[in-house]
Amino acid sequence: MRILIAGGRVIDPASGVDEVVDLLIEDGRIVRIGKDVRGARSGVRGAEPPEASKGKRSKAAKNAESAINVDRVMDAAGLVVCPGLIDMHVHLRQPGREDKETIATGTLAAARGGFTAVCCMPNTDPVNDTRSVTEFILDTAKREGAVYVYPVGAITKGLRGEELAEIGELFESGCVAVSDDGRPVMNAELMRRAMEYAGMFDLPVISHCEDLHLSGKGVVHEGIVSTELGLCGIPSASEAAMVARDLLLAELTGARLHIAHVSAAESVRLIREAKARGVRVSCEATPHHFALTEEAVRGFNTNAKMNPPLRSESDRRAILAGLCDGTIDVIATDHAPHTIQDKEQEFDVAPFGVIGSETALALTLSTLVASGALPLKQAIAKLTSEPARILKLPKGRIAEGADADLTIFDPDREWTVDAFGFASKSRNTPFHGWELKGGTVATIVAGKVVWEA
Amino acid sequence: MGLARKDLLRMQDLTADEIRLILDTAESMKQVAGRDIKKVPALRGKTLINLFYEASTRTRTSFEIAGKWLSADVINVSTSSSSVAKGESLKDTGLTLQAMHPDIVVLRHPASGAAEFLAKQLAASVINAGDGAHEHPSQALLDLFTIREKKGRLEGLKAAIVGDIAHSRVARSSIHGMRKVGMEVRVAGPRTMLPCFIDRLGVEVFTDLERAIADVDIIMMLRLQLERQQAGLFPSLREYSRLFGLTLPRLKGAKSDVLIMHPGPINRGVEIAPEVADGPYSLILNQVENGVAVRMALLYLLAGAPQAG
């Protein structure tokens, strides 16, 4: 199978490339990158620059077809071609809660959102704290998955925060990081040992930073909205206190720490300072935390209930600033599917979590890039080369010889979010009905088009 | 003329005109209580369901009597367990009740937002009789009614609400209601029980009881939930009542005609001394009495009166 992606604006943050070139894909790899890679124009028609006209087939595409054999030419004129997006934080719910999501539906949702790889968190049932669960996930993903799946193993057995899981075996069987995501490791001594131990394999420890005592029975950010609605609040300090602790432990152990879903201004400040000191820390922010605030909870909207909670406008601005100055390395979704009946409950009772695979790219483009807050190349880096770097994945770049994992998107396409059209099994998004700009056109995994608009 | 809304969920939604309409209607309803035959046919053929997920004596009884005096058929559904423990979701319970075509459902529920949630499921009018720490509008309305009855006006009066503001639905509803009718509102309590940004609701915040009550017309004491001690919000009942209990010596620093209110049930000797609760300025039993009239007004305005255009 030979595919030519012709005339697209290729943006590869890893190499710094941002230009209109063709990509030739063969046998799952990128084999050639360049202007007019088939030589069609040079001899016969002269070297015309490809036209950036959308809607009709560009000259580059027509030229390409006239030359040597390819099975398919994808006309990418006016579109952006970038390394396949990597979502380093999803919940696929399989094994255990297949009514909410499966590896098949979760990866298809990812593909629809432009992701070619996802990292799935271990809070399944059973928990991914042993080789057999990791292998089950990898086998199922190979058979049924639309995109690559990289499992994240548990830090502690059963996520109970009592004893270390067999991190060595989890590493050998294919886990790319360890985390008790959904729960913090409350015992600081155990977290220290986890960092030391994971450090032997140079595995990043992904920390869900939350002091459970400070969170208490909290269900929303502690702020004006919690006060007005009479809901128990989770103070920003619940996250930031744990961020501070884990930064100190990372400094103590020299281990690699990745802080999941940063939501509070205080956390961004602490991480910025730690990075300046040389602590080996990276972190991620979710689209909902940079696109929404606590105001979205009004009306007791359970689709705006997640942990960490949506915070204040000043926190949101701090997240934006952290994304812009590089304090926040990665954009990840924390895609957390829940059934309609689970969410259609009293606010206190409904589970935490929102889905994000199918809106992340468009929210990044609409909220961060279109506003001028973040240059397009930087935004793409946070969805490709940065997660690949942190997890040491051989992904997230466009180069001759590299895996042909590519995302083609239209930065100008306007669309309305319709949760009921999602590939995900679940519908729990706070963005239903939103008008967004920027849509996936095609998602290519190992040279195969796995999703196409 | 009725209220141009299906439900009564929160004081935050009501306009000053709507509040006045409810209070005026309650005045005529109050006359029914003085009659030999306490019954008017305003809600004949209407069905009222009291759906209570929390223990309640006064509120449930008050709504029940209000419904019966208006000739509605009143059904009480009480469960001390939450919908979750019971195994049926609040949504399913709502749909089940809906199938029986009630006209009004009065809901008391431990979760904030439960009334709003149920109102979206039901064609019937929903009256929020207390949802978590969110709102308890009929309580705020009966308090306003009682104040107006005693003082002859509401505008310009000053009230202090004292106690566990953070967990109090009565406090939230009263703050909104009092502000809307032009009263000045103070809140006072231990710092651990004052929610963040409460000042943004337009109230003055105090942690010193004596200063808070110095020149107010109304002191509203809130019930202290004793389990807050385990949660670390106050060290002991002894210290709480020393700092925030309303006693006769403390009252000496207040206005001579100050009125004392409490939504009940009271913890005698904790937030309020017995001699204050039973004293001449106490409106605690007037509040209970007026509760029936105000709830009659609400039932009538939502289900019995001709609707506004």
Side-chain angles (χ1 to χ4, degrees):
Chain A
M1 184 80 181
R2 199 186 261 169
I3 301 176
L4 180 72
I5 302 170
R9 177 183 171 192
V10 173
I11 301 181
D12 178 45
S15 62
V17 165
D18 180 357
E19 57 181 330
V20 175
V21 284
D22 298 346
L23 296 179
L24 186 64
I25 299 169
E26 195 173 353
D27 297 331
R29 293 188 178 280
I30 301 166
V31 293
R32 279 193 64 190
I33 304 172
K35 294 202 190 285
D36 186 23
V37 296
R38 294 165 74 203
R41 286 193 296 273
S42 51
V44 187
R45 293 160 202 258
E48 295 169 56
E51 256 172 44
S53 59
K54 261 182 311 191
K56 57 176 184 168
R57 296 174 55 72
S58 70
K59 281 183 185 164
K62 281 182 204 153
N63 289 344
E65 263 170 73
S66 64
I68 55 166
N69 288 339
V70 294
D71 299 289
R72 179 168 180 196
V73 175
M74 298 179 83
D75 181 4
L79 307 178
V80 173
V81 182
C82 68
L85 310 184
I86 300 166
D87 188 349
M88 69 178 289
H89 194 143
V90 303
H91 298 269
L92 295 178
R93 302 295 187 217
Q94 192 179 1
R97 286 309 299 264
E98 292 82 357
D99 56 328
K100 299 188 178 200
E101 197 78 285
T102 64
I103 289 169
T105 58
T107 55
L108 191 60
R112 201 164 172 272
F115 292 97
T116 59
V118 296
C119 300
C120 58
M121 288 295 161
N123 60 341
T124 45
D125 183 14
V127 167
N128 183 13
D129 58 1
T130 56
R131 176 193 288 273
S132 59
V133 178
T134 302
E135 286 178 347
F136 166 81
I137 293 167
L138 288 170
D139 287 349
T140 309
K142 202 167 282 174
R143 276 182 285 110
E144 301 171 11
V147 306
Y148 288 103
V149 174
Y150 294 101
V152 175
I155 295 173
T156 66
K157 292 183 184 121
L159 307 178
R160 282 188 297 271
E162 291 164 2
E163 286 176 71
L164 291 184
E166 292 174 342
I167 292 172
E169 191 167 80
L170 289 169
F171 169 67
E172 283 167 18
S173 35
C175 287
V176 295
V178 287
S179 179
D180 273 5
D181 185 64
R183 301 180 53 82
V185 177
M186 279 298 288
N187 180 333
E189 153 72 3
L190 188 62
M191 189 60 164
R192 173 206 172 158
R193 299 305 175 198
M195 286 188 187
E196 286 174 343
Y197 198 84
M200 293 196 297
F201 315 99
D202 200 26
L203 273 182
V205 174
I206 301 177
S207 178
H208 168 114
C209 287
E210 178 180 11
D211 184 310
L212 295 177
H213 298 297
L214 281 172
S215 292
K217 292 178 183 163
V219 290
V220 292
H221 174 60
E222 184 178 294
I224 180 66
V225 174
S226 68
T227 290
E228 277 190 41
L229 298 186
L231 292 169
C232 279
I234 300 173
S236 292
S238 165
E239 175 179 287
M242 214 52 146
V243 168
R245 182 200 80 172
D246 285 352
L247 290 170
L248 291 170
L249 293 177
E251 216 166 349
L252 172 69
T253 60
R256 289 204 291 137
L257 170 67
H258 178 80
I259 293 168
H261 42 53
V262 172
S263 68
E266 294 86 337
S267 308
V268 178
R269 194 180 68 217
L270 286 162
I271 295 165
R272 185 179 289 125
E273 288 165 4
K275 282 189 164 186
R277 282 204 309 277
V279 178
R280 296 173 80 196
V281 60
S282 57
C283 68
E284 72 198 25
T286 68
H288 48 267
H289 285 118
F290 66 64
L292 295 173
T293 68
E294 58 187 334
E295 293 295 324
V297 171
R298 287 191 190 278
F300 299 93
N301 177 10
T302 57
N303 283 333
K305 178 181 176 181
M306 74 287 289
N307 192 11
L310 297 173
R311 298 205 185 268
S312 69
E313 176 61 15
S314 62
D315 290 301
R316 193 185 75 87
R317 283 168 196 259
I319 299 290
L320 291 181
L323 285 162
C324 293
D325 72 10
T327 301
I328 300 173
D329 306 83
V330 167
I331 295 168
T333 64
D334 195 4
H335 179 80
H338 290 292
T339 58
I340 289 175
Q341 59 266 28
D342 278 348
K343 279 292 194 181
E344 272 195 341
Q345 297 194 79
E346 300 89 317
F347 197 92
D348 282 341
V349 177
F352 290 103
V354 296
I355 53 175
S357 296
E358 292 166 79
T359 47
L361 174 62
L363 285 165
T364 301
L365 296 172
S366 305
T367 315
L368 298 180
V369 179
S371 66
L374 196 65
L376 180 58
K377 197 194 288 177
Q378 271 187 49
I380 292 174
K382 291 180 195 300
L383 287 159
T384 58
S385 52
E386 286 297 301
R389 173 181 65 79
I390 291 161
L391 299 167
K392 296 197 295 183
L393 305 178
K395 301 282 178 192
R397 67 201 176 101
I398 292 179
E400 289 182 359
D403 291 344
D405 298 339
L406 296 165
T407 301
I408 305 175
F409 67 86
D410 180 347
D412 300 319
R413 202 186 101 214
E414 291 177 6
W415 60 290
T416 305
V417 179
D418 174 15
F420 296 93
F422 280 173
S424 169
K425 262 196 179 181
S426 291
R427 308 285 172 248
N428 51 311
T429 173
F431 300 109
H432 180 69
W434 277 42
E435 310 268 340
L436 295 178
K437 198 169 166 187
T440 316
V441 173
T443 307
I444 300 170
V445 176
K448 232 179 84 188
V449 180
V450 296
W451 190 83
E452 209 169 352
Chain B
M1 194 74 83
L3 284 168
R5 55 175 70 240
K6 176 172 97 67
D7 311 296
L8 180 72
L9 303 177
R10 25 185 232 168
M11 293 302 290
Q12 201 172 6
D13 293 339
L14 292 184
T15 64
D17 282 343
E18 285 177 303
I19 293 171
R20 265 189 291 274
L21 171 66
I22 295 164
L23 302 188
D24 292 347
T25 309
E27 255 173 48
S28 44
M29 292 295 172
K30 194 171 176 181
Q31 294 161 8
V32 177
R35 295 182 191 169
D36 275 352
I37 297 177
K38 298 183 182 60
K39 206 149 196 109
V40 292
L43 292 186
R44 200 169 57 193
K46 304 278 185 185
T47 303
L48 164 68
I49 297 180
N50 278 323
L51 179 57
F52 276 61
Y53 284 85
E54 277 182 348
S56 159
T57 307
R58 73 197 62 216
T59 305
R60 191 189 54 72
T61 311
S62 183
F63 270 109
E64 184 174 355
I65 291 178
K68 286 181 169 165
W69 286 359
L70 290 172
S71 305
D73 295 304
V74 182
I75 290 95
N76 291 314
V77 182
S78 293
T79 166
S80 52
S81 60
S82 74
S83 59
V84 182
K86 210 175 139 204
E88 185 176 56
S89 70
L90 182 58
K91 182 182 178 181
D92 283 330
T93 304
L95 293 175
T96 303
L97 294 178
Q98 182 59 52
M100 300 180 211
H101 304 290
D103 299 282
I104 300 180
V105 175
V106 175
L107 179 72
R108 159 70 61 90
H109 197 284
S112 298
E116 197 162 329
F117 178 86
L118 192 71
K120 284 179 193 152
Q121 315 288 340
L122 297 187
S125 291
V126 173
I127 296 178
N128 181 7
D131 62 327
H134 179 220
E135 285 230 28
H136 190 358
S138 64
Q139 179 71 42
L141 288 163
L142 73 88
D143 289 341
L144 290 176
F145 182 86
T146 307
I147 296 167
R148 194 175 76 166
E149 193 178 56
K150 290 290 161 192
K151 294 281 187 188
R153 66 188 171 106
L154 291 170
E155 205 177 341
L157 295 179
K158 221 182 257 188
I161 306 175
V162 181
D164 184 0
I165 308 295
H167 299 92
S168 175
R169 52 196 174 212
V170 175
R172 282 176 180 74
S173 284
S174 292
I175 289 169
H176 291 305
M178 289 173 171
R179 296 286 300 137
K180 280 169 196 279
V181 298
M183 291 173 63
E184 277 181 51
V185 185
R186 298 170 167 189
V187 296
R191 178 58 69 194
T192 49
M193 295 179 174
L194 296 170
C196 62
F197 301 124
I198 187 72
D199 55 309
R200 289 205 206 161
L201 300 189
V203 301
E204 264 192 284
V205 182
F206 292 79
T207 52
D208 180 323
L209 179 59
E210 268 140 59
R211 282 186 49 220
I213 64 173
D215 52 352
V216 299
D217 304 290
I218 295 109
I219 303 171
M220 181 186 288
M221 300 304 294
L222 298 175
R223 176 180 170 79
L224 180 73
Q225 301 290 335
L226 304 181
E227 65 266 23
R228 306 288 175 220
Q229 185 179 332
Q230 278 83 56
L233 300 187
F234 66 92
S236 65
L237 287 180
R238 179 173 168 272
E239 176 143 317
Y240 184 87
S241 60
R242 265 167 47 86
L243 293 176
F244 295 99
L246 192 61
T247 56
L248 274 183
R250 277 225 164 88
L251 262 186
K252 294 215 165 72
K255 278 188 172 179
S256 59
D257 60 347
V258 68
L259 300 175
I260 313 295
M261 306 180 86
H262 191 300
I266 63 177
N267 294 309
R268 283 178 185 267
V270 180
E271 71 266 4
I272 189 164
E275 54 275 24
V276 176
D278 304 329
Y281 309 115
S282 169
L283 297 181
I284 296 174
L285 294 176
N286 304 65
Q287 290 173 270
V288 177
E289 181 191 2
N290 289 335
V292 177
V294 166
R295 286 168 179 130
M296 287 171 77
L298 288 175
L299 297 176
Y300 172 74
L301 291 170
L302 286 173
Q307 289 301 301

